[in-house]
Amino acid sequence: CSRRITRSSRQQLTQRMRHSDVVLVADYHTLAQAQRTALRLMQDSVREGEEWYLGLEFVPSNRQPDLDAFSEGRIDTATFLKRIRYHEEWGFPWEHYAPLIDWARSAGVRLLGINRPREMPLWKWRRRGPPQDRDLVERDRWAAGLLTDLFARAESTGALRPKVFVLYGE
């Protein structure tokens, strides 16, 4: 491979993100700087009048109604975190994520739970390998399916094609 690695300016990075359908943003869950970086990237990229989503690994997709209620201000933070069992199932500091979530809500960015519900059984044909690897494969497969469905719905209804930031670990 003869490709050279080159640095991108912040402006170049923003342009690339703005022209992408899906932007995967690495989330080192215990490091607040990871979530602050995601916030800055979104602030640089999101423009009014566009359909943006923020895919959240810490929200299982079956908890989307709770995420919608929280996003729309129908339930408060404490109720939301209790309903999604945040502290039991995720456990990383909420105060790291709160500024990102608050900004997304105020900017009209839709929140999307993309994690595979824990109660879903693993696919039988994927049972090889260590359990943690199987879980990650299934998690990724699940999230990809949700994003595919999101784009298919937009296309089938003639809606504006969405852009998605996905805050994702590993």
Side-chain angles (χ1 to χ4, degrees):
C1 182
S2 63
R3 291 198 280 170
R4 284 186 20 200
I5 297 174
T6 59
R7 291 184 187 191
S8 296
S9 69
R10 189 169 177 167
Q11 182 179 13
Q12 290 169 321
L13 177 60
T14 299
Q15 287 297 6
R16 291 294 301 253
M17 289 186 297
R18 290 198 38 71
H19 289 94
S20 298
D21 292 333
V22 178
V23 177
L24 296 173
V25 180
D27 184 23
Y28 190 77
H29 309 314
T30 59
L31 184 64
Q33 183 60 46
Q35 295 83 35
R36 285 194 300 266
T37 298
L39 173 58
R40 283 194 296 277
L41 292 172
M42 286 195 69
Q43 289 170 328
D44 287 351
S45 300
V46 172
R47 301 289 183 272
E48 194 173 327
E50 297 173 334
E51 184 72 17
W52 281 91
Y53 286 79
L54 173 58
L56 299 167
E57 181 186 4
F58 68 80
V59 181
S61 63
N62 63 336
R63 304 313 306 184
Q64 187 65 45
D66 296 316
L67 185 56
D68 291 341
F70 173 64
S71 184
E72 296 163 8
R74 292 184 279 126
I75 60 174
D76 63 16
T77 302
T79 302
F80 168 66
L81 297 178
K82 184 176 181 179
R83 285 186 182 176
I84 67 166
R85 299 178 40 84
Y86 182 87
H87 298 291
E88 296 84 3
E89 293 190 14
W90 191 250
F92 297 103
W94 171 251
E95 53 276 2
H96 294 184
Y97 292 95
L100 176 63
I101 303 305
D102 290 344
W103 181 85
R105 290 169 60 192
S106 70
V109 172
R110 300 242 359 239
L111 303 176
L112 183 65
I114 60 167
N115 210 352
R116 184 180 155 277
R118 289 183 189 264
E119 54 274 7
M120 296 282 302
L122 293 173
W123 292 98
K124 289 180 183 167
W125 60 272
R126 285 279 187 190
R127 293 197 184 257
R128 291 171 295 202
Q132 66 274 17
D133 290 349
R134 292 192 312 250
D135 285 347
L136 291 176
V137 167
E138 293 302 323
R139 175 204 68 173
D140 295 349
R141 182 182 279 296
W142 189 264
L146 291 169
L147 295 178
T148 300
D149 290 348
L150 176 70
F151 289 115
R153 271 193 310 276
E155 188 173 311
S156 71
T157 63
L160 190 62
R161 185 166 176 86
K163 295 175 179 287
V164 185
F165 267 86
V166 178
L167 191 59
Y168 221 52
E170 310 258 357

